[in-house]
Amino acid sequence: MTGFGGTASSGMVDWNLAVATATRLVRPGPDVSRDEARAVVAELRRHAKASEEHVRGFTRMTTEETHDTPVLVVDRPGWVRANVAGFREILKPLLEKMQERRAGSPGSAVLGAVGGKVTGVELGMLLSFLSSRVLGQYETFAPAGRDLPAGENSGGRLLLVAPNIVHVERELDVEPHDFRLWVCLHEETHRTQFTAVPWLRDHLEGEIQSFLAETDVDPMTFLERIREAAQSLVGGRPEGEEEDGGRSFVELVQTPAQREILGRLTAVMSLLEGHADYVMDGVGPSVVPTVAEIREKFQQRRAKGASRLDQALRKLLGLDAKLKQYRDGERFVRAVVGDVGIDGFNRVWTSPNTLPTKAEIAKPADWIARVHRRTEP
């Protein structure tokens, strides 16, 4: 595959092999006719466009700049290609550092070539698993490619994974048109967050790069974590791992400095995810007639989790933490809006200093007291 730059097997990960592996292993989507597929794609594009007005009207978040971030309705292999491009971009400093650290070891050139291919295959296995579970995604750090456009000035792109949306709407037995709009409202909220708050992308990227710069992990240990996840996919639990054992990638690479950065990142991600859930439920009743049924069934689906395999991978990849972010973040947004209104809540977007801390996500009154200079009676 072309468009990613560099040689196919350079560095710690053979990215092209990761794409090829994931594309080969990805499960087929739901059975739809060609005409039905075209209709779904067209409807998702219409809903994405309509969601922009709905979200901006509800949140009162606007931007004077042209909204140039493209909406891409993709299949599962398309989601894989987009995410490999994003991962390659954001992980480049970390992987270069690990490559340099390994360079002095005996046989490093041979080990590097072989290791890069092994890791590429295993990463591809993970991506094939995840590609059937993501409904939509705003790619904040998306590099533009030949077949994957991105907004100018690092504007990102919005991905809607059509086969997964159709699969879930059928699984939940909900009204398809309503469900598709409901999903678009959530993802459009993320696009609005980053386009209406110009400093947010750079701030988040700075935090991530600071986190990665603090990483002091042995390359083989990092690759072993990928290997454990891949082994989970084929039903083999790594030897010696306890029933509920295993650490996520994030837990693996934490140093004391990283824990502080991770706390800030967790708070920001909780805010962004919780805000998106709050907005799609807030807009929902006026434009999605069956929003209450959709939300109830979707929450039940989240709460049930999945198979033992899914649960193991969620822990390893840190996805359990993401689900918690939805809940904690939405409670924070709801509490703040209930106390100081939507305009009072929007002071959260003023600067990095007005973002909530991890502790404030759990105690919204503390954020209100700090940002609104209010003291309890």
Side-chain angles (χ1 to χ4, degrees), residues 12 91-104 209-219 253 255 258:
M12 300 283 292
L91 291 175
K92 185 177 179 181
L94 172 63
L95 294 179
E96 285 180 347
K97 178 180 178 181
M98 293 169 68
Q99 181 78 2
E100 290 172 3
R101 181 168 176 174
R102 192 176 63 181
Q209 292 304 336
S210 295
F211 182 87
L212 296 178
E214 288 289 335
T215 298
D216 187 24
V217 61
D218 177 74
V253 296
T255 64
Q258 281 180 307

Side-chain angles (χ1 to χ4, degrees), residues 202-236:
D202 289 343
H203 171 72
L204 195 58
E205 182 176 23
E207 292 280 54
I208 292 172
Q209 292 304 336
S210 295
F211 182 87
L212 296 178
E214 288 289 335
T215 298
D216 187 24
V217 61
D218 177 74
M220 296 311 296
T221 306
F222 181 83
L223 299 182
E224 182 63 25
R225 189 61 61 213
I226 295 179
R227 188 160 297 115
E228 288 178 8
Q231 287 170 343
S232 294
L233 283 175
V234 295

Side-chain angles (χ1 to χ4, degrees), residues 276-290:
D277 265 12
Y278 175 80
V279 170
M280 74 177 176
D281 285 347
V283 174
S286 63
V287 296
V288 182
T290 60

Side-chain angles (χ1 to χ4, degrees), residues 43-58:
E43 183 175 25
L44 286 172
R45 286 179 176 148
R46 289 196 305 272
H47 283 334
K49 181 65 177 175
S51 294
E52 183 177 344
E53 183 177 348
H54 294 318
V55 168
R56 287 172 182 256
F58 181 82

Side-chain angles (χ1 to χ4, degrees), residues 330-343:
E330 186 180 11
R331 280 195 293 266
F332 171 84
V333 176
R334 196 171 297 281
V336 172
V337 172
D339 196 329
V340 297
I342 192 69
D343 291 327

Side-chain angles (χ1 to χ4, degrees), residues 122-141:
E122 291 168 340
L123 181 60
M125 293 171 67
L126 292 176
L127 288 169
S128 71
F129 173 84
L130 294 172
S131 68
S132 63
R133 284 156 173 76
V134 177
L135 301 181
Q137 174 184 355
Y138 180 74
E139 275 203 296
T140 314
F141 309 109

